[in-house]
Every structure is written in structure tokens, then in C-alpha cells.
Amino acid sequence: MSVLKSSFRSIQVFTLTAIALGVSSLGQLAVSQSVPNQQNIQQTQIIFNDPTPPSQGSPSGRQQGGASRGPCRKFEGLRALVPVKNGIVWGKTTSDRPTFWFYLPNQLTAQTPIEFVVQDSADNYVYHSRYNAPQTQSGLIGITIPANSKSLEVGKTYSWTLSVYCDPGNPSTSVFVTGTIQRVNLDTTLQNRLQGATPTEQASLYAANGIWFEAFNILANLYRSHSDQKAIATAWASLLQQVNLGSMTQAPFSSCCTPEQRISN
């Protein structure tokens, strides 16, 4: 009888121990599953779903300045920070007055003004301005359509061109980049997800929905102010590399093209 009692007690102890270990394992599993989720929030992945450009009448554009001669040779590395898909320099925006980003390969002087224009499908000017920004250093520059200019309309595609007049005596030799932009509406689901999201999460959402201009502009401003933060630096480099602009990852930012510098409109 004592042997039976002893065996029964052993079974009870074994069963209780197994249950305790099972609960502990479940707890550890729950913790281990929650950690990656927290890491994903802190290190938001940027995946740009590059959309297919409009096929009806869209010009191919020009992402890089190309070969030049004389004083314009030092600006042939001019670059539009816009994706190229199917040979077309093109991107989406949700803004009525978006910011356009470019890489300026050399310093501007008083003798090298730049011109930026945005036109509708009938070649009417939406924005047309010339800037004289002497001492502007080589680097990434942003040009925003100002509030007193016409706004982009939803559903319409516009062409844009940035020109550097690097040879005052021969304006026709200017170095330029050009492409197209289309304004689109935010759907309700995306609007709701953007509300309350961090800037990095917003950039990720825009990128995932193929909206280049907002994704890039948010990350550019974040990286400009917080390049020392690993998560932001990683997201910035990832976005550029995905659209074959990885060479721009370490390019500095340069102040340029403000209303005070404009010399004509």
C-alpha cells in the first residue's frame, strides 16, 4: 500500500512539474514573439513598390544631366532624385505643391543660375522660376512649389525640368534633368493608417503604396536632422538603393532655391 501511495505522489509531482514547465514555455514563447514586433516598430522597413508609369503620352524624361563640354562639364552629374521605371522618370505625389529633390554636383556661382519649371499637359506653366544662388555648395537640394503658385490637380500628370545655365554665353548648352509627376488621392484606409504614425512609419506607408515624393521628402528631412540615428540612416540608404540611387546615400544637403534667391518668375 505504501508503495502505491509513493508511486501516486511521484505521478502528481511529475504532472505538476510538467504543467509548470508548459506554462513557462508558453510565457517564453509569447515574449519571444513580441520582441520582433517591437523591433519592427523601432526599425521600420522601407519597401518601395514602384508603380508602372502612365503609358499614354508620357515623355521618357532624363534623370541625369549627361555629357557636356566647357564650363558645363562640371555639372554633367546633375541628378533628379526620382525613380526610373520602364525608361520613364516618373513618380506619384499626394501633395498639391510637392517638393522636388536633386543632386547638384558642383558649387553654383553668380554666373550659374538655375531654372525650375512645372508644366501641365498643354505646356502651360504651373510654376516657373529662376534662381541665383551663389555659393550654394554641391549636394542635395530641394525645391518646393510655393503657396502662391498654382496647385497640382488630382489625377493629372505634369512635366518638370531643372536646368543649370553653366555657360552664360551659350544658354542652349545648359545641363538639365526632366521628368513627370502625377498627383493622386489618398484612400481612406491609408489616411487612417497615416494618422498617429511616426514620420518613419509614414515614409514606409507612402513607399509601400508607391507614392515616391512624400516617402522621399519625409526621409530626406529625417536624415538631414538625424543622420546619427541608425534606424533612420538604414531606411534612407535602403530607399535610395531600391531605385538605383545608392550613390546619393552619403551626399550632403545644401541650402538652395528659396524665394529670397529667386530672380524671376
Side-chain angles (χ1 to χ4, degrees):
M1 187 70 178
S2 60
V3 174
L4 290 174
K5 288 183 178 179
S6 177
S7 299
F8 181 71
R9 287 174 182 172
S10 297
I11 292 172
Q12 284 183 316
V13 170
F14 176 80
T15 303
L16 291 173
T17 302
I19 292 172
L21 288 173
V23 172
S24 176
S25 298
L26 288 173
Q28 289 177 352
L29 179 61
V31 171
S32 66
Q33 289 177 338
S34 66
V35 170
N37 291 334
Q38 292 173 353
Q39 290 175 345
N40 286 340
I41 291 172
Q42 294 170 358
Q43 299 180 354
T44 304
Q45 289 186 341
I46 303 295
I47 300 176
F48 180 60
N49 290 321
D50 200 356
T52 301
S55 58
Q56 297 180 348
S58 296
S60 59
R62 185 172 184 172
Q63 189 191 46
Q64 188 164 335
S68 302
R69 297 180 179 180
C72 289
R73 188 175 182 83
K74 59 186 178 181
F75 289 100
E76 63 185 15
L78 180 69
R79 199 84 174 263
L81 303 184
V82 180
V84 179
K85 182 71 175 286
N86 298 339
I88 298 176
V89 184
W90 176 81
K92 290 182 180 181
T93 183
T94 60
S95 174
D96 59 345
R97 295 177 177 86
T99 298
F100 298 76
W101 286 89
F102 305 93
Y103 171 68
L104 189 66
N106 215 299
Q107 176 181 329
L108 296 179
T109 70
Q111 286 72 46
T112 53
I114 63 176
E115 182 180 56
F116 182 63
V117 300
V118 179
Q119 296 170 278
D120 62 20
S121 58
D123 291 334
N124 298 310
Y125 285 120
V126 173
Y127 182 61
H128 178 200
S129 194
R130 208 172 193 194
Y131 297 87
N132 193 331
Q135 306 308 315
T136 296
Q137 300 299 312
S138 169
L140 306 183
I141 61 172
I143 302 178
T144 303
I145 298 178
N148 59 356
S149 296
K150 294 180 181 178
S151 61
L152 304 189
E153 296 182 35
V154 173
K156 291 189 176 181
T157 299
Y158 301 82
S159 62
W160 50 263
T161 303
L162 177 73
S163 305
V164 179
Y165 291 97
C166 34
D167 186 354
N170 193 3
S172 63
T173 63
S174 64
V175 175
F176 70 93
V177 288
T178 184
T180 50
I181 184 173
Q182 182 184 51
R183 186 183 173 195
V184 296
N185 255 336
L186 282 174
D187 62 47
T188 304
T189 301
L190 183 54
Q191 284 181 348
N192 292 336
R193 295 185 68 186
L194 287 167
Q195 291 180 359
T198 67
T200 307
E201 290 168 344
Q202 289 177 352
S204 178
L205 287 168
Y206 279 120
N209 285 273
I211 302 172
W212 172 259
F213 281 84
E214 276 62 50
F216 186 89
N217 190 51
I218 290 172
L219 271 187
N221 287 313
L222 277 175
Y223 183 71
R224 188 175 194 172
S225 304
H226 306 287
S227 59
D228 57 329
Q229 294 188 18
K230 184 178 179 180
I232 292 175
T234 299
W236 171 248
S238 175
L239 181 64
L240 288 169
Q241 289 165 1
Q242 288 176 57
V243 293
N244 298 316
L245 290 170
S247 60
M248 302 289 105
T249 300
Q250 300 299 323
F253 289 83
S254 183
S255 297
C256 179
C257 314
T258 63
E260 294 77 30
Q261 297 168 325
R262 192 172 59 206
I263 56 179
S264 68
N265 192 1

